[in-house]
Amino acid sequence: AAESVRLAMDALPPDSEKRQELQRLRDEFESAALEKPTDVPSHEGDAAAMLNALNAPPEPAEGGAPFPPPPPPASIPAHKHVRRGPPLRFSESDRSEACTSKDAGNLHLREGNVSQALVEYGNAIKKDPDDAILWSNRSVAFLQLSEDNDTTAAQAAADALRAVTCDPNWPRGYCTLGDALLRLGSPLEALEAFLDGARVARDAGRLEDAFELDRKGRDARDAVLKRRPCVCSMASETQLRAGPAGDGAFERAAQERNCPEGARPDEERHV
């Protein structure tokens, strides 16, 4: 940017009044270029996204054969971890231990050691019970062990709902919640979760998450119509093609539970 300003200055006459303004702008650009870039957290460590990448068809390298994604590092510094939830209630040391346990849980889950992954995610939640990603990851692990409409699926749904409560603006929580509700045999509630999540994802500009949630929402809608054929006659063809619109029930409920403690003193944020 500073170089572009210099070229613009060279194109102006020496006595131009614009040269002084452009020189000031050039100085600002050069000063900004010398500043150390801000170290922004970038690692979510979402277990569902990790498993999606692991199970996706491998893409061939340029001029080579297909290959699986490389294994993740054993541990990532805590300051690199994205945190989804209200302000940290405990110490930075606790947060660091939570991130370490989350990474360990992801490695165990990747290798198929689901029981060990559950232990690690549980340890992480004890250290930082307000991080939506930790609850979502444990929900994903429960789903690996669950069968249709069993108690483990109910545990997965409870953890996923806690994830949405911790951060109603994180679309991945709705994705996990919808998956758990489908496993519980509740496709209509799953459809609502997917639609709420897709809206949150679009508002946040996370288009890849929005596409995934829209796809899952269509699958849940099909499951609803199979179980309740009367819905077909009640909905117009236009509505079926476009898909039903969620009313934000899960999103509103999560925001109400996430309100300041003074607003609802009789409600505990964590069970």
mmCIF file with all atom_site columns, all heavy atoms in Angstrom, residues 172-186:
data_model
loop_
_atom_site.group_PDB
_atom_site.id
_atom_site.type_symbol
_atom_site.label_atom_id
_atom_site.label_alt_id
_atom_site.label_comp_id
_atom_site.label_asym_id
_atom_site.label_entity_id
_atom_site.label_seq_id
_atom_site.pdbx_PDB_ins_code
_atom_site.Cartn_x
_atom_site.Cartn_y
_atom_site.Cartn_z
_atom_site.occupancy
_atom_site.B_iso_or_equiv
_atom_site.pdbx_formal_charge
_atom_site.auth_seq_id
_atom_site.auth_comp_id
_atom_site.auth_asym_id
_atom_site.auth_atom_id
_atom_site.pdbx_PDB_model_num
ATOM 1   N N   . ARG A 1 172 ? -21.368 -24.531 14.901 1.00 0.00 ? 172 ARG A N   1
ATOM 2   C CA  . ARG A 1 172 ? -21.028 -25.947 15.029 1.00 0.00 ? 172 ARG A CA  1
ATOM 3   C C   . ARG A 1 172 ? -21.788 -26.616 16.181 1.00 0.00 ? 172 ARG A C   1
ATOM 4   O O   . ARG A 1 172 ? -22.059 -27.821 16.136 1.00 0.00 ? 172 ARG A O   1
ATOM 5   C CB  . ARG A 1 172 ? -19.528 -26.112 15.257 1.00 0.00 ? 172 ARG A CB  1
ATOM 6   C CG  . ARG A 1 172 ? -18.624 -25.573 14.167 1.00 0.00 ? 172 ARG A CG  1
ATOM 7   C CD  . ARG A 1 172 ? -18.851 -26.231 12.837 1.00 0.00 ? 172 ARG A CD  1
ATOM 8   N NE  . ARG A 1 172 ? -18.765 -27.689 12.928 1.00 0.00 ? 172 ARG A NE  1
ATOM 9   C CZ  . ARG A 1 172 ? -19.027 -28.491 11.907 1.00 0.00 ? 172 ARG A CZ  1
ATOM 10  N NH1 . ARG A 1 172 ? -19.420 -27.983 10.744 1.00 0.00 ? 172 ARG A NH1 1
ATOM 11  N NH2 . ARG A 1 172 ? -18.928 -29.787 12.045 1.00 0.00 ? 172 ARG A NH2 1
ATOM 12  N N   . GLY A 1 173 ? -22.143 -25.848 17.201 1.00 0.00 ? 173 GLY A N   1
ATOM 13  C CA  . GLY A 1 173 ? -22.905 -26.420 18.301 1.00 0.00 ? 173 GLY A CA  1
ATOM 14  C C   . GLY A 1 173 ? -24.271 -26.906 17.844 1.00 0.00 ? 173 GLY A C   1
ATOM 15  O O   . GLY A 1 173 ? -24.742 -27.969 18.271 1.00 0.00 ? 173 GLY A O   1
ATOM 16  N N   . TYR A 1 174 ? -24.925 -26.136 16.969 1.00 0.00 ? 174 TYR A N   1
ATOM 17  C CA  . TYR A 1 174 ? -26.228 -26.546 16.445 1.00 0.00 ? 174 TYR A CA  1
ATOM 18  C C   . TYR A 1 174 ? -26.096 -27.799 15.581 1.00 0.00 ? 174 TYR A C   1
ATOM 19  O O   . TYR A 1 174 ? -27.007 -28.639 15.560 1.00 0.00 ? 174 TYR A O   1
ATOM 20  C CB  . TYR A 1 174 ? -26.835 -25.417 15.606 1.00 0.00 ? 174 TYR A CB  1
ATOM 21  C CG  . TYR A 1 174 ? -27.151 -24.169 16.391 1.00 0.00 ? 174 TYR A CG  1
ATOM 22  C CD1 . TYR A 1 174 ? -26.233 -23.132 16.488 1.00 0.00 ? 174 TYR A CD1 1
ATOM 23  C CD2 . TYR A 1 174 ? -28.387 -24.015 17.023 1.00 0.00 ? 174 TYR A CD2 1
ATOM 24  C CE1 . TYR A 1 174 ? -26.513 -21.980 17.204 1.00 0.00 ? 174 TYR A CE1 1
ATOM 25  C CE2 . TYR A 1 174 ? -28.677 -22.861 17.739 1.00 0.00 ? 174 TYR A CE2 1
ATOM 26  C CZ  . TYR A 1 174 ? -27.739 -21.849 17.821 1.00 0.00 ? 174 TYR A CZ  1
ATOM 27  O OH  . TYR A 1 174 ? -28.022 -20.705 18.528 1.00 0.00 ? 174 TYR A OH  1
ATOM 28  N N   . CYS A 1 175 ? -24.988 -27.918 14.882 1.00 0.00 ? 175 CYS A N   1
ATOM 29  C CA  . CYS A 1 175 ? -24.771 -29.096 14.041 1.00 0.00 ? 175 CYS A CA  1
ATOM 30  C C   . CYS A 1 175 ? -24.696 -30.361 14.900 1.00 0.00 ? 175 CYS A C   1
ATOM 31  O O   . CYS A 1 175 ? -25.334 -31.380 14.598 1.00 0.00 ? 175 CYS A O   1
ATOM 32  C CB  . CYS A 1 175 ? -23.485 -28.912 13.232 1.00 0.00 ? 175 CYS A CB  1
ATOM 33  S SG  . CYS A 1 175 ? -23.248 -30.100 11.905 1.00 0.00 ? 175 CYS A SG  1
ATOM 34  N N   . THR A 1 176 ? -23.939 -30.292 15.981 1.00 0.00 ? 176 THR A N   1
ATOM 35  C CA  . THR A 1 176 ? -23.835 -31.433 16.890 1.00 0.00 ? 176 THR A CA  1
ATOM 36  C C   . THR A 1 176 ? -25.170 -31.715 17.572 1.00 0.00 ? 176 THR A C   1
ATOM 37  O O   . THR A 1 176 ? -25.564 -32.878 17.744 1.00 0.00 ? 176 THR A O   1
ATOM 38  C CB  . THR A 1 176 ? -22.755 -31.170 17.947 1.00 0.00 ? 176 THR A CB  1
ATOM 39  O OG1 . THR A 1 176 ? -21.527 -30.807 17.302 1.00 0.00 ? 176 THR A OG1 1
ATOM 40  C CG2 . THR A 1 176 ? -22.506 -32.403 18.795 1.00 0.00 ? 176 THR A CG2 1
ATOM 41  N N   . LEU A 1 177 ? -25.890 -30.655 17.956 1.00 0.00 ? 177 LEU A N   1
ATOM 42  C CA  . LEU A 1 177 ? -27.190 -30.837 18.600 1.00 0.00 ? 177 LEU A CA  1
ATOM 43  C C   . LEU A 1 177 ? -28.169 -31.533 17.657 1.00 0.00 ? 177 LEU A C   1
ATOM 44  O O   . LEU A 1 177 ? -28.895 -32.459 18.058 1.00 0.00 ? 177 LEU A O   1
ATOM 45  C CB  . LEU A 1 177 ? -27.746 -29.484 19.038 1.00 0.00 ? 177 LEU A CB  1
ATOM 46  C CG  . LEU A 1 177 ? -29.142 -29.491 19.664 1.00 0.00 ? 177 LEU A CG  1
ATOM 47  C CD1 . LEU A 1 177 ? -29.184 -30.367 20.905 1.00 0.00 ? 177 LEU A CD1 1
ATOM 48  C CD2 . LEU A 1 177 ? -29.571 -28.061 20.015 1.00 0.00 ? 177 LEU A CD2 1
ATOM 49  N N   . GLY A 1 178 ? -28.194 -31.118 16.398 1.00 0.00 ? 178 GLY A N   1
ATOM 50  C CA  . GLY A 1 178 ? -29.084 -31.758 15.443 1.00 0.00 ? 178 GLY A CA  1
ATOM 51  C C   . GLY A 1 178 ? -28.751 -33.225 15.234 1.00 0.00 ? 178 GLY A C   1
ATOM 52  O O   . GLY A 1 178 ? -29.644 -34.081 15.162 1.00 0.00 ? 178 GLY A O   1
ATOM 53  N N   . ASP A 1 179 ? -27.456 -33.539 15.155 1.00 0.00 ? 179 ASP A N   1
ATOM 54  C CA  . ASP A 1 179 ? -27.053 -34.941 15.004 1.00 0.00 ? 179 ASP A CA  1
ATOM 55  C C   . ASP A 1 179 ? -27.514 -35.782 16.192 1.00 0.00 ? 179 ASP A C   1
ATOM 56  O O   . ASP A 1 179 ? -27.977 -36.918 16.028 1.00 0.00 ? 179 ASP A O   1
ATOM 57  C CB  . ASP A 1 179 ? -25.529 -35.031 14.866 1.00 0.00 ? 179 ASP A CB  1
ATOM 58  C CG  . ASP A 1 179 ? -25.028 -34.507 13.524 1.00 0.00 ? 179 ASP A CG  1
ATOM 59  O OD1 . ASP A 1 179 ? -25.835 -34.425 12.577 1.00 0.00 ? 179 ASP A OD1 1
ATOM 60  O OD2 . ASP A 1 179 ? -23.825 -34.177 13.427 1.00 0.00 ? 179 ASP A OD2 1
ATOM 61  N N   . ALA A 1 180 ? -27.369 -35.222 17.403 1.00 0.00 ? 180 ALA A N   1
ATOM 62  C CA  . ALA A 1 180 ? -27.772 -35.964 18.603 1.00 0.00 ? 180 ALA A CA  1
ATOM 63  C C   . ALA A 1 180 ? -29.288 -36.157 18.649 1.00 0.00 ? 180 ALA A C   1
ATOM 64  O O   . ALA A 1 180 ? -29.779 -37.224 19.033 1.00 0.00 ? 180 ALA A O   1
ATOM 65  C CB  . ALA A 1 180 ? -27.289 -35.231 19.854 1.00 0.00 ? 180 ALA A CB  1
ATOM 66  N N   . LEU A 1 181 ? -30.039 -35.136 18.253 1.00 0.00 ? 181 LEU A N   1
ATOM 67  C CA  . LEU A 1 181 ? -31.500 -35.257 18.256 1.00 0.00 ? 181 LEU A CA  1
ATOM 68  C C   . LEU A 1 181 ? -31.977 -36.264 17.220 1.00 0.00 ? 181 LEU A C   1
ATOM 69  O O   . LEU A 1 181 ? -32.953 -36.987 17.444 1.00 0.00 ? 181 LEU A O   1
ATOM 70  C CB  . LEU A 1 181 ? -32.136 -33.885 18.004 1.00 0.00 ? 181 LEU A CB  1
ATOM 71  C CG  . LEU A 1 181 ? -31.983 -32.872 19.151 1.00 0.00 ? 181 LEU A CG  1
ATOM 72  C CD1 . LEU A 1 181 ? -32.425 -31.490 18.709 1.00 0.00 ? 181 LEU A CD1 1
ATOM 73  C CD2 . LEU A 1 181 ? -32.779 -33.325 20.377 1.00 0.00 ? 181 LEU A CD2 1
ATOM 74  N N   . LEU A 1 182 ? -31.291 -36.332 16.095 1.00 0.00 ? 182 LEU A N   1
ATOM 75  C CA  . LEU A 1 182 ? -31.623 -37.361 15.104 1.00 0.00 ? 182 LEU A CA  1
ATOM 76  C C   . LEU A 1 182 ? -31.386 -38.751 15.692 1.00 0.00 ? 182 LEU A C   1
ATOM 77  O O   . LEU A 1 182 ? -32.193 -39.671 15.486 1.00 0.00 ? 182 LEU A O   1
ATOM 78  C CB  . LEU A 1 182 ? -30.782 -37.169 13.843 1.00 0.00 ? 182 LEU A CB  1
ATOM 79  C CG  . LEU A 1 182 ? -31.254 -36.126 12.835 1.00 0.00 ? 182 LEU A CG  1
ATOM 80  C CD1 . LEU A 1 182 ? -30.267 -36.039 11.674 1.00 0.00 ? 182 LEU A CD1 1
ATOM 81  C CD2 . LEU A 1 182 ? -32.648 -36.449 12.316 1.00 0.00 ? 182 LEU A CD2 1
ATOM 82  N N   . ARG A 1 183 ? -30.286 -38.914 16.414 1.00 0.00 ? 183 ARG A N   1
ATOM 83  C CA  . ARG A 1 183 ? -29.986 -40.209 17.024 1.00 0.00 ? 183 ARG A CA  1
ATOM 84  C C   . ARG A 1 183 ? -31.035 -40.560 18.083 1.00 0.00 ? 183 ARG A C   1
ATOM 85  O O   . ARG A 1 183 ? -31.325 -41.737 18.310 1.00 0.00 ? 183 ARG A O   1
ATOM 86  C CB  . ARG A 1 183 ? -28.592 -40.180 17.642 1.00 0.00 ? 183 ARG A CB  1
ATOM 87  C CG  . ARG A 1 183 ? -28.088 -41.519 18.148 1.00 0.00 ? 183 ARG A CG  1
ATOM 88  C CD  . ARG A 1 183 ? -27.894 -42.521 17.013 1.00 0.00 ? 183 ARG A CD  1
ATOM 89  N NE  . ARG A 1 183 ? -26.974 -42.033 16.022 1.00 0.00 ? 183 ARG A NE  1
ATOM 90  C CZ  . ARG A 1 183 ? -25.653 -42.149 16.072 1.00 0.00 ? 183 ARG A CZ  1
ATOM 91  N NH1 . ARG A 1 183 ? -25.096 -42.758 17.107 1.00 0.00 ? 183 ARG A NH1 1
ATOM 92  N NH2 . ARG A 1 183 ? -24.894 -41.690 15.103 1.00 0.00 ? 183 ARG A NH2 1
ATOM 93  N N   . LEU A 1 184 ? -31.611 -39.540 18.704 1.00 0.00 ? 184 LEU A N   1
ATOM 94  C CA  . LEU A 1 184 ? -32.660 -39.773 19.696 1.00 0.00 ? 184 LEU A CA  1
ATOM 95  C C   . LEU A 1 184 ? -34.015 -40.065 19.053 1.00 0.00 ? 184 LEU A C   1
ATOM 96  O O   . LEU A 1 184 ? -34.983 -40.339 19.756 1.00 0.00 ? 184 LEU A O   1
ATOM 97  C CB  . LEU A 1 184 ? -32.793 -38.560 20.613 1.00 0.00 ? 184 LEU A CB  1
ATOM 98  C CG  . LEU A 1 184 ? -31.869 -38.488 21.827 1.00 0.00 ? 184 LEU A CG  1
ATOM 99  C CD1 . LEU A 1 184 ? -32.083 -37.183 22.575 1.00 0.00 ? 184 LEU A CD1 1
ATOM 100 C CD2 . LEU A 1 184 ? -32.102 -39.672 22.755 1.00 0.00 ? 184 LEU A CD2 1
ATOM 101 N N   . GLY A 1 185 ? -34.085 -39.974 17.737 1.00 0.00 ? 185 GLY A N   1
ATOM 102 C CA  . GLY A 1 185 ? -35.355 -40.208 17.062 1.00 0.00 ? 185 GLY A CA  1
ATOM 103 C C   . GLY A 1 185 ? -36.273 -39.014 17.068 1.00 0.00 ? 185 GLY A C   1
ATOM 104 O O   . GLY A 1 185 ? -37.502 -39.173 17.067 1.00 0.00 ? 185 GLY A O   1
ATOM 105 N N   . SER A 1 186 ? -35.691 -37.795 17.078 1.00 0.00 ? 186 SER A N   1
ATOM 106 C CA  . SER A 1 186 ? -36.489 -36.562 17.087 1.00 0.00 ? 186 SER A CA  1
ATOM 107 C C   . SER A 1 186 ? -36.117 -35.711 15.873 1.00 0.00 ? 186 SER A C   1
ATOM 108 O O   . SER A 1 186 ? -35.452 -34.670 16.020 1.00 0.00 ? 186 SER A O   1
ATOM 109 C CB  . SER A 1 186 ? -36.260 -35.774 18.381 1.00 0.00 ? 186 SER A CB  1
ATOM 110 O OG  . SER A 1 186 ? -36.561 -36.557 19.519 1.00 0.00 ? 186 SER A OG  1
#
